[in-house]
Amino acid sequence: MEKNPDDAALRGDYARVLGFFRAYDEREHTASAEAARAAEEAPKDARLQLLAAQAQRDDLNERRRFLEAAVAADPAMPEARVALADHELERGHPERVQPLVAPVLEKTPDDVNARLVLARALEALGERPKAHALVEETFRLQPRVPRAVRAAAQVSRQLDRGREAMDRMRVVLALRFDDTATRHMLATMLAEAGQVESAQREYAQLVKLNPFDNGSRVRLAELKASNGAVEEAVALFAEARALSPDEPEVYEREGRALLAAGRREPALASFERSLALRPQNPGLKEALRALKGESTGTGMQYLVDAQPLAKEAEAYVHEDALYLVDNTYVRVQQSGLSSRLHQTVVKVFNSRGVDAFRTIPVTYSPDRQEVRVLRARVIKADGSVVESYGENERNINEPWTGMYYDARAKILSFPSLSAGDTLELTYRLDDTAQDNLLSDYWGDVESVQGVYPKVRFQYLVDMPQARPLYWNKSKLTGVASAQEPLDAGRVLYRWNARHVAKVVPEPGMPGWAEVAQNLHVSTYQTWEQVGRYWWGLVRDQLQPNAELRQTVDQVLQGVDRKNELAVVRAIYNFVVTNTRYVALEFGIHGFKPYRVDRVLARRFGDCKDKASLIHSMLQVAGVESRLVLLRMRNLGSIGEEPASLAAFNHAIAYVPKFDLYLDGTAEFHGANELPSADRVANVLVVEPNGKSTFLTTPEAKAADNATRMSLDVTLRADGGAEITGSSSVGGQHAPDYRRAYRPEATRKSTFERAWAQSFPGLTVHEVKLSDTTRLDDDVALDFKMSIPRYSEVLPNGMRFLPFGTGRTYQQAYASLAQRRFDLVMSSPWTNGFLLRYALPAGWTVAELPQAVEETTKFGHIKLSYRLEGGKLVAEGEVALTTARVSADDYPAFREFLGRVDRAFGRRVFIQNAANRTASSTP
């Protein structure tokens, strides 16, 4: 290079040599610098541009620049196009791949690299079937190209075709014996599938290919130890220690393998050496203390031996899965901080059971908690053991609902799980924070029953004797409870049940707390204690500042402040329309609202933030209100015992003077339109300086949710009709109308879609709507439309449904023939109808349905027909006056809805008077 400094090709070769041997200081990036210089000196040399791009690892923009320069220098160069396509794919632009590789595939249809990058792009675009088909076609075209076979193996693995994937990996290895990545994947799949001997051969080959591959060596040792070849495992661990004498993970994994094999003393020695190298491993510290008997109360002595229970699983073979053991031990400190040990042993009987337990999430807060997996293994049907499992983490945020948490979920996956296997999982969840966010409170809700039966259920709480524990004694049936004194002034609360039946869910059933046995425990004795604590937590957040006071004055401009109901409505409307729902549930703010001045300034908040803002603004306006903790209806009602913070998942405001509940998150709802999810819900009305009240919110009345429709229908002799109509919608249905019809540009199309199912081919001429921003007013619609086939034209006349369409109330509300649980609907309602028919000239009514009037405890129906001023008038009202029907009453309720549907299905028959004959019948 010193002799030929201007030779760009030579400089490119120099960069390749540097890159291969790494013969430079990494901090100087000499190889990439030389490659870039060569590319700059020869901008028309596509291969030098490509070399510079490949060498550029830090600056992705520079890499793109060189790749684009390579394509510009030689548009027909397949390597450049594929490399740029691959870069676009990595940067999140799969839509740019196809135009780049299309010329390559047009010229060389079997180009493997172009085909595979296009397949990856298709998968990224959500077209997985096309992607898989392209990979399979590439494999058929190029069955001897390792990359094509490897991609086909990955497709097989994605489709859970494990045997096919492993066969294809063996083909890859036959073509490229030194492909260690594929061999490692094959070994992993073999181990997960329970083919232990084959997995051991592959791991042994990996070690032979690369004697410094300690990961494969240690995994091979673990497999041998868990399948009886302990001495061979010991020798392999010795080799691993010799290669990595200061790697703590080697010693820890050796200790766990030896412990599982029954070699307790060598295992302890390995654990101690691992801790000496990495003393900040709290999980291993506690495990070692427990093994030495140096710690008590860790709960390990309460683990249940599942083996004697396996015989009892034979009675449940018709199930998808069965819990042999569902066991939880919680040690609670005086502060309310706790350590939880959970043991699950599940037998899966079929593919549905496998899918249900293939992955298990463990939710925790990384800043305040630690999760340690103590045992995770699959016992195969033949008795072999697979101790391999996957582990990754994901956040549990719900951006589509505006909810963000500091908690995460550790996802444990068991790819080897198959029908007939038994899954064993034991993990510990420890509070690691120095303080309890909720003072000294501790509480929990544990499901005794679930969707799978349980042979053995056990729940244990190890409490300080000075902290009594309260639970739902009156509602907990079939669960034995006991208390046992322990050393050091502690007491053990024990709940046990055997052969717990499963719950089979039904659509429209009550919340889980009402249909399944749940254990609810708490350190609070009374609801007054709960209210006093929560008020102390939130009261400082409610202080108004100058901006908030000024905002209240602006909101109430033009409002008579002596009219307190008008003041409440104005403030409520402001909050629901001017603050977005965004929940930042970080730390204590999962329970504590942010300061109201911050909520106002940011214009967003969650339920307790919005409730607090309503409360503070009403306080400034001189209206008394309360904050309310609420348990939404879908969770199911709980009893009054025990008092607990764990019961609630929502917060709203309450104005005692008007007995009015206000949900600040209920967008498009008026002040009187409390969402159905907040109706018949358990609440705690928090009193600042008094006794908080636990009660249930009232159900709406049918008249509160009234919809009225009036139609003037001009019938034509060809069966068509011109309709002018109006509707008014109030109560629970009004928010849906305000939301759907808010955009003026789409109102007509929205209306057309709503009516098109009943009248295909209709044409909407006009839709007018009342002001959707006036939340306290019912929604009013006026409309005009043409319907081509309103009546059925017969040889001797026409017939039509007098209320426009039939009704399918039975299908909508009572689709099941029978029920085990009560039916819970959203709310009572009333629908009214008034239709006036102008018949074609010369036509008369030949037959009318009989009038119907019926009142039951579920609701009522009243349909009538009359001739008035030359027009046919059909008038009706149907109402559901209850939102909950007991399972015993369900057959009668279903029959009532059937009668309602049949009443609406009776038709009017009309004839042309000039052609009417005595034999004319519909």
Side-chain angles (χ1 to χ4, degrees), residues 319 449-452 501-507 509 512 515 820-821:
E319 301 287 351
Q449 284 182 289
V451 294
Y452 302 102
K502 69 178 180 179
V503 174
V504 180
E506 288 179 339
M509 72 180 188
W512 197 255
V515 300
R820 293 179 301 276
F821 303 118

Side-chain angles (χ1 to χ4, degrees), residues 42-43 129 133 182 210 223 234 242 279 282 294 303 337 352 377-378 439 601 652 722 783 811 850 871-872 895 918 921:
T182 299
N210 180 9
L223 282 174
V234 169
E294 296 175 355
L303 294 179
L337 295 175
R352 290 188 299 272
R377 67 179 187 174
V378 174
S439 185
I652 60 176
E722 300 296 325
F783 48 88
Q811 179 181 347
Q850 289 185 343
K871 292 186 177 182
L872 168 64
E895 289 176 6
T921 58

Side-chain angles (χ1 to χ4, degrees), residues 134-162:
L134 183 57
V135 171
E136 293 290 347
E137 183 184 36
T138 305
F139 174 47
R140 289 193 299 271
L141 290 171
Q142 299 284 6
R144 295 184 179 278
V145 176
R147 188 176 181 187
V149 187
R150 191 183 303 117
Q154 290 171 347
V155 167
S156 298
R157 193 177 187 191
Q158 287 178 354
L159 297 174
D160 286 331
R161 299 202 291 255

Side-chain angles (χ1 to χ4, degrees), residues 234-293:
V234 169
L236 286 165
F237 277 121
E239 292 177 10
R241 293 197 308 271
L243 277 174
S244 303
D246 297 325
E247 176 50 57
E249 185 180 354
V250 171
Y251 294 92
E252 181 177 353
R253 291 173 68 177
E254 178 184 27
R256 294 190 184 280
L258 293 176
L259 187 63
R263 302 287 185 91
R264 185 175 184 277
E265 294 306 319
L268 293 179
S270 295
F271 286 152
E272 288 174 340
R273 179 56 183 161
S274 179
L275 282 173
L277 293 169
R278 188 170 62 190
Q280 72 275 21
N281 188 339
L284 186 55
K285 278 184 180 179
E286 182 165 336
L288 185 59
R289 285 198 300 268
L291 288 169
K292 289 184 172 183

